Amino acid sequence: MTAPEQSARRWLGPAVFSAVAVLALVAAPLLLEPFRLGLLAKYLCYAIVALGIGLAWGQGGMLTLGQGVFFGLGGYAMGMYLKLNDAAGDLPDFMVWSGVEKLPALWKPFGNPVFALAMVVVLPAAVALLLGALVFRQRVRGAYFAILTQALAAALVILLVGQQGLTGGTNGLTNFFDFFGNDVAADETQRGLYLLVAVVLGALYLGARQLVRSRFGRLLLAVRDGEDRVRFLGYNPATVKTLTFAVSAGMAGIAGALFVPVVGIISPALLGVVPSLELVVAVAVGGRFALAGAVLGAVVMGYARTYFSEELPDAWLYLQGALFVLVMTLAPKGIAGLAANLVRRREVRA
């Protein structure tokens, strides 16, 4: 490869990122109606979770099937603040309906916006750190780790559903009216929320990309490809995996917090086993070995789900599954892997 070709390839990634950023921040708000823009914002929230899955699974080899747990923790932290803010000193509406007479002690700190925003990241990351420290130290990996995270998601759903007066039960937290002084239902607020989600996704993507390219990222790849060899070299794979898992969980918590004002609800149905599996499928479709592929997969699968459910409501689940099977059959490394192969073939021919 000649020097000009190497220089062009070096600038290809930043150029593509800049083009996508312009489309997301400028073109989408101008071209899409408020409803469709809100759907795109929801897809981007899922893309943030997918980015964390791509970091943990694609780069670190940790198949996490319970990312909905961390998504839910961040979402409920934000939802609790918004409900207390709307109540203006009174009990949230669902507590009144449930016969609760006094605000639970667990809820009181979330009336402070700084505390609530901090918990959006700290709470999921702390749970992931604790789980990782217990699990990875015992060298639990592969299918066993995946099943453990899946069980954690199922347990959280059962806990949330059973605490009607504390969490809203099956209905979860909904009916939000104010988001830091702005009417949640207003088109301008939703447009601003979309831009916020897009900017956060872009910042997290750049941060994750830099992390992967750093010395820590190279060590993470080494753990994925040969954990025992890394241990023999004097490194502790458990520490590397735990820190990566915590970063992934923090991303999911941020996504959950942004999801709440965008969609207007956070409930157990959004963070159980099935939603977590769907996000893993989206990452696999986009390409788990590329961070951009994970983001792309979440957006593509979100759009496919909406399109199929609107056009073919009786068959959309089958078509969504067929899309997954088709991509995995023709491109085992996902859409990103297929694109990389096409570029490589073109370079060989040239």
Side-chain angles (χ1 to χ4, degrees), residues 300-325:
V300 168
M301 292 299 286
Y303 175 79
R305 178 175 183 173
T306 299
Y307 178 81
F308 290 149
S309 62
E310 289 178 348
E311 300 297 328
L312 299 167
D314 295 330
W316 72 268
L317 280 175
Y318 301 102
L319 293 174
Q320 189 179 34
L323 175 63
F324 170 68
V325 172

Side-chain angles (χ1 to χ4, degrees), residues 13-26:
V16 172
F17 178 83
S18 299
V20 173
V22 170
L23 289 174
L25 297 176
V26 179

Side-chain angles (χ1 to χ4, degrees), residues 57-135:
W57 181 30
Q59 307 300 316
M62 296 170 282
L63 177 56
T64 169
L65 301 181
Q67 210 69 357
V69 171
F70 310 116
F71 179 85
L73 291 174
Y76 271 89
M78 175 61 73
M80 290 165 72
Y81 165 72
L82 295 180
K83 292 301 292 183
L84 291 174
N85 185 53
D86 289 339
D90 297 326
L91 289 176
D93 49 12
F94 74 91
M95 289 187 182
V96 176
W97 305 332
S98 301
V100 177
E101 298 180 353
K102 184 179 179 181
L103 185 67
L106 177 64
W107 274 70
K108 292 181 180 179
F110 288 91
N112 185 318
V114 176
F115 178 85
L117 291 176
M119 288 299 102
V120 163
V121 179
V122 172
L123 190 57
V127 173
L129 280 173
L130 177 61
L131 180 63
L134 295 175
V135 171

Side-chain angles (χ1 to χ4, degrees), residues 70-336:
F70 310 116
F71 179 85
L73 291 174
Y76 271 89
M78 175 61 73
M80 290 165 72
Y81 165 72
L82 295 180
K83 292 301 292 183
L84 291 174
N85 185 53
D86 289 339
D90 297 326
L91 289 176
D93 49 12
F94 74 91
M95 289 187 182
V96 176
W97 305 332
S98 301
V100 177
E101 298 180 353
K102 184 179 179 181
L103 185 67
L106 177 64
W107 274 70
K108 292 181 180 179
F110 288 91
N112 185 318
V114 176
F115 178 85
L117 291 176
M119 288 299 102
V120 163
V121 179
V122 172
L123 190 57
V127 173
L129 280 173
L130 177 61
L131 180 63
L134 295 175
V135 171
F136 296 133
R137 185 177 300 176
Q138 301 300 322
R139 302 186 184 181
V140 176
R141 49 184 161 177
Y144 299 102
F145 174 73
I147 293 173
L148 181 62
T149 57
Q150 191 177 42
L152 182 63
L156 179 63
V157 170
I158 295 173
L159 177 64
L160 293 174
V161 170
Q163 300 295 321
Q164 174 69 39
L166 187 65
T167 65
T170 304
N171 296 326
L173 305 181
T174 185
N175 295 327
F176 305 111
F177 302 104
D178 181 83
F179 181 74
F180 293 96
N182 299 286
D183 182 8
V184 173
D187 291 344
E188 289 299 322
T189 302
Q190 287 298 314
R191 187 175 292 107
L193 285 170
Y194 165 79
L195 294 174
L196 176 62
V197 174
V199 169
V200 170
L201 173 59
L204 291 176
Y205 170 77
L206 291 176
R209 188 167 178 263
Q210 184 62 33
L211 179 65
V212 170
R213 293 188 170 191
S214 67
R215 181 179 178 181
F216 180 87
R218 292 193 294 270
L219 182 59
L220 179 63
L221 292 177
V223 169
R224 180 195 69 186
D225 297 334
E227 182 174 334
D228 293 331
R229 292 183 180 181
V230 172
R231 185 177 293 108
F232 293 150
L233 290 173
Y235 295 97
N236 187 352
T239 302
V240 177
K241 295 170 73 173
T242 299
L243 292 176
T244 305
F245 189 43
V247 171
S248 173
M251 289 183 179
I254 293 173
L258 293 171
F259 182 90
V260 170
V262 167
V263 181
I265 185 174
I266 185 70
S267 70
L270 296 169
L271 49 101
V273 174
V274 174
S276 298
L277 288 174
E278 289 180 343
L279 286 168
V280 172
V281 169
V283 172
V285 168
R288 68 185 179 98
F289 296 110
L291 296 177
V295 173
L296 177 63
V299 176
V300 168
M301 292 299 286
Y303 175 79
R305 178 175 183 173
T306 299
Y307 178 81
F308 290 149
S309 62
E310 289 178 348
E311 300 297 328
L312 299 167
D314 295 330
W316 72 268
L317 280 175
Y318 301 102
L319 293 174
Q320 189 179 34
L323 175 63
F324 170 68
V325 172
L326 182 64
V327 172
M328 290 297 96
T329 302
L330 299 179
K333 293 185 178 180
I335 299 174

Side-chain angles (χ1 to χ4, degrees), residues 23-44 187-188 190-191 194-195 299 303:
L23 289 174
L25 297 176
V26 179
L30 294 176
L31 299 177
L32 297 178
E33 60 186 59
F35 175 72
R36 296 297 173 183
L37 191 65
L39 286 178
L40 182 56
K42 182 172 74 170
Y43 303 156
L44 295 186
D187 291 344
E188 289 299 322
Q190 287 298 314
R191 187 175 292 107
Y194 165 79
L195 294 174
V299 176
Y303 175 79

